[in-house]
Amino acid sequence: MSGKTTKQRVAVIGAGPSGLISLKHLTNFPDVFEPVAFEQNFWFGGVWRYTDRTENDDFGLPVHSAMYNNLKVNIPKEIMEIPGFPFPKEWNKSYITRQQCLEYLNMFANHFNLRKHIQFHTHVHNVQPLKEANEDGKTKWLLTFSPVNKMSEVKQEKFDAVFVCNGHDSNPYIPVIAGMDEFEGRKIHSKWFRFEEHFDGLRVAILGCHFSGEDISMNVAKYAKKVFACHRRMPKEFPPSFPKEIEQRPPFVRMTKDSVVFPDGSSEKVDAIIFCTGYRYSFPFLNDGLITIKDERIEPIYKHMVHIEHQNLIFFGIPRQLSYFPHFHEMAKFAIKLLAGKITLPSKEEMRAESEAEYQARLKEGKPPIFAHYMGDGHRQTEFNAQIAKLGGFEPLPPVIQMIWDDVLDERYMNIINTHEFDYEITGPNSYRCLTPEKVKSRVSKAENVVGK
C-alpha cells in the first residue's frame, strides 16, 4: 500500500465503535501501520458498555456510558451494520437491544483479534504536536498517559499519526436556568438516566425532546404520575403520533423549590427534571491551541474529520446523527489511504474556504450554528459519504442506507409508539423490504415490497 520503509505508529484514542473499526482497518496493513489504542476502561465498546453507575467511576473519572437499562437502538440494524461484518442471522428483529449491540462489537473485536492492540485502563492526559517531523515532513505526536489506578505514573510515547475516537456523547450539556439551585426535587441529565421505574408516581418535566427526549418521555410515562415534554420544536416538526397523555409545553425558564415556570408565567409542580439537552464536544487531551470550539463548531477541520494544519490528526466522532457504524467504516478507509499517501487533499487555503462555505450554507438554510456538524436532515450523510469516497477513490455506501433512514424517520413521525415493531430486509443496493405486518403500519412504506401487502 505504501513504499515507506518503516511502519507508521498510529495512536487510536478510544476503543468504542469508531476506535474498533479504525483498528480493524489499520491492522489490515501490518507492514504499514503499528496501531495502539488507548482505552480508559477495562473494556471496549464506548457508550455501548452499560453500567448502572452514573457520573464517576472508582477512580474519579467520568462514566462514559450514556445507555439506559431498557434502551433499544433507534435505527434498524440493517443500516448500522459494519460493511463486511453482518449481524447474526438469528437476530431477526431490526431494532436490537443495547446488549445485542455490545455483543456485536465483541464479535467484531474477537473476529479481527483487536484486543491485543488495546491498552486498557489507560488515561490519555495530552496529545502534543512535536517540532520534529516524520520522514515525509508530517507532524510527529507525543502522547502523555497513565494507568487510571496510578495517575502519578506518567508515560510518554511518540506516534506518527493520531486517530481521535472518543465520541461525542460523553460530555453532558445542562443549561443554566434561573432558580435551578433552589429546586429540591431530583435533577439528572439523560446520560445518567438508567431506570424508568425510578420515577414511579412522580410528576416529571423533561427538557428537550429529540430522539432521546422522545424515548425517555415515553418510557417514564409508563410509571410517572404525569410527564411534561418541554421543547421548542415547531408543531410540524414534532411527531403527531406522540402519546397525548404526555403534555407538551415550551421550555421552562425558571425553577422554584417544587415547580417549573414557563415563559407565560404559568407553572407546574414537578418532583423530578430530566435534561435531554444533548452533549458538547470535548477533547480535554488535545494540546491547547490545536482546535477551537465555538457554538459546537470545531475548527480547523476538513470534511468533519481531518485537521487542516496537521493532516495526520484525524477525528472520527464529529458528525452527528447518521448511520454511525457504516460511516466509521468509510471514514477509516479514507483515513488509511490518507496516511498512506494515496489521497491528495486540496491546499490548506482551499480546505478552509470549502469548510467555511459549507458552514455558511447551513446558516443560510436557517440552521443554528450548533448544527455545523449535523448530518441527520435531508441527504447530508449521503453527500458527506459521497465526498470522502470521491476523494478516497472508493465506492460510497449503497443508496439503500439513506432510503431506509428516510423511511424510518417518516415512520417515527407518523407512528412513534410502534416504531420498534418494524422490521426491514435489504434486497439490493437500491432496494429493501418492509417485513412488518400491515396492522401496525401508519402509511404505505417506501419499501420496494411490503410483506403481507
Side-chain angles (χ1 to χ4, degrees):
M1 185 174 183
S2 172
K4 293 183 183 296
T5 56
T6 57
K7 294 182 182 181
Q8 293 188 56
R9 296 196 76 221
V10 182
V12 179
I13 301 178
S18 64
L20 292 174
I21 292 169
S22 299
L23 270 181
K24 184 264 180 184
H25 282 270
L26 287 163
T27 58
N28 283 347
F29 305 97
D31 296 333
V32 181
F33 302 111
E34 181 187 329
V36 181
F38 295 87
E39 171 54 52
Q40 188 166 275
N41 294 297
F42 266 133
W43 48 76
F44 51 74
V47 296
W48 292 100
R49 174 65 70 164
Y50 173 83
T51 173
D52 285 348
R53 297 192 66 158
T54 59
E55 301 199 33
N56 296 327
D57 63 16
D58 289 335
F59 304 99
L61 296 170
V63 168
H64 193 69
S65 179
M67 298 287 110
Y68 53 88
N69 184 58
N70 200 29
L71 183 139
K72 283 191 175 182
V73 179
N74 60 17
I75 60 173
K77 71 180 190 303
E78 286 73 22
I79 60 173
M80 63 179 295
E81 185 173 282
I82 302 169
F85 193 78
F87 284 95
K89 290 183 179 179
E90 59 270 25
W91 294 6
N92 54 10
K93 302 298 294 180
S94 285
Y95 287 90
I96 61 176
T97 64
R98 62 167 178 81
Q99 295 94 329
Q100 288 175 304
C101 190
L102 182 60
E103 184 179 351
Y104 176 67
L105 292 173
N106 269 279
M107 294 174 183
F108 180 81
N110 291 337
H111 182 80
F112 294 106
N113 196 20
L114 301 179
R115 294 173 190 266
K116 67 180 182 180
H117 301 286
I118 305 173
Q119 288 192 24
F120 291 101
H121 235 204
T122 302
H123 177 74
V124 176
H125 298 286
N126 188 249
V127 176
Q128 176 185 353
L130 296 174
K131 292 183 179 179
E132 62 180 287
N134 298 327
E135 61 184 48
D136 57 5
K138 293 182 179 178
T139 306
K140 284 187 78 74
W141 299 91
L142 180 68
L143 262 70
T144 304
F145 55 94
S146 298
V148 297
N149 60 346
K150 199 173 183 180
M151 287 292 197
S152 60
E153 188 179 301
V154 178
K155 303 178 182 180
Q156 292 186 321
E157 289 186 21
K158 293 180 181 180
F159 289 88
D160 300 295
V162 177
F163 286 180
V164 178
C165 300
N166 67 319
H168 57 231
D169 288 339
S170 62
N171 182 32
Y173 168 67
I174 298 178
V176 176
I177 298 173
M180 63 190 307
D181 291 338
E182 301 172 17
F183 183 69
E184 296 177 354
R186 187 180 180 194
K187 301 191 297 283
I188 65 168
H189 188 273
S190 60
K191 180 184 177 180
W192 307 315
F193 175 80
R194 293 293 184 267
F195 299 95
E196 55 262 33
E197 297 92 333
H198 289 176
F199 298 87
D200 186 27
L202 303 183
R203 293 171 63 85
V204 184
I206 295 178
L207 183 62
C209 206
H210 211 275
F211 287 163
S212 64
E214 291 170 352
D215 290 345
I216 289 175
S217 293
M218 291 188 292
N219 278 287
V220 169
K222 297 173 186 175
Y223 294 89
K225 182 177 181 180
K226 181 68 177 179
V227 174
F228 301 96
C230 308
H231 63 89
R232 60 169 57 93
R233 293 170 68 183
M234 300 292 289
K236 66 179 181 179
E237 298 173 342
F238 199 80
S241 55
F242 197 65
K244 302 302 180 187
E245 65 269 22
I246 300 176
E247 187 174 336
Q248 296 182 53
R249 302 295 294 269
F252 48 86
V253 295
R254 189 162 58 86
M255 298 158 66
T256 69
K257 67 177 183 178
D258 60 0
S259 303
V260 291
V261 182
F262 301 102
D264 63 0
S266 63
S267 64
E268 294 287 353
K269 288 188 178 298
V270 295
D271 306 294
I273 296 171
I274 304 175
F275 292 94
C276 295
T277 42
Y279 299 84
R280 293 295 182 256
Y281 292 111
S282 178
F283 308 99
F285 46 84
L286 291 183
N287 206 55
D288 290 346
L290 272 174
I291 59 170
T292 61
I293 305 176
K294 181 181 179 182
D295 295 328
E296 290 304 277
R297 184 191 180 194
I298 304 170
E299 294 186 279
I301 302 293
Y302 182 63
K303 297 302 180 190
H304 309 276
M305 61 182 297
V306 180
H307 195 288
I308 292 175
E309 295 298 327
H310 307 282
Q311 293 159 25
N312 53 3
L313 176 62
I314 303 174
F315 297 76
F316 286 80
I318 292 179
R320 295 184 186 270
Q321 290 190 10
L322 74 174
S323 300
Y324 287 108
F325 294 6
H327 282 86
F328 290 152
H329 173 85
E330 299 291 285
M331 295 166 81
K333 287 197 300 186
F334 180 91
I336 296 299
K337 296 190 76 170
L338 181 61
L339 292 187
K342 300 297 182 181
I343 295 175
T344 302
L345 296 177
S347 68
K348 293 178 182 180
E349 293 74 17
E350 290 171 321
M351 287 190 283
R352 286 181 182 274
E354 187 177 330
S355 297
E356 180 65 20
E358 180 188 350
Y359 175 65
Q360 291 299 326
R362 290 177 185 239
L363 297 182
K364 288 179 181 178
E365 291 175 15
K367 303 296 180 187
I370 62 170
F371 274 65
H373 304 294
Y374 274 72
M375 300 290 175
D377 58 334
H379 285 186
R380 291 191 202 276
Q381 62 175 308
T382 295
E383 293 163 3
F384 166 67
N385 177 234
Q387 290 167 7
I388 63 171
K390 183 178 180 181
L391 277 170
F394 51 82
E395 288 296 315
L397 292 168
V400 69
I401 290 181
Q402 182 73 57
M403 294 167 67
I404 296 179
W405 176 277
D406 292 343
D407 201 0
V408 165
L409 290 188
D410 283 351
E411 197 57 61
R412 187 178 178 94
Y413 182 78
M414 296 300 298
N415 192 12
I416 192 169
I417 297 174
N418 293 313
T419 296
H420 287 157
E421 297 181 31
F422 285 70
D423 295 309
Y424 299 89
E425 178 187 16
I426 291 178
T427 56
N430 295 281
S431 62
Y432 65 100
R433 298 199 304 164
C434 179
L435 309 179
T436 310
E438 280 299 295
K439 63 182 180 180
V440 301
K441 290 195 66 59
S442 63
R443 58 178 175 75
V444 177
S445 173
K446 296 177 182 176
E448 185 177 76
N449 299 296
V450 180
V451 174
K453 183 175 178 179

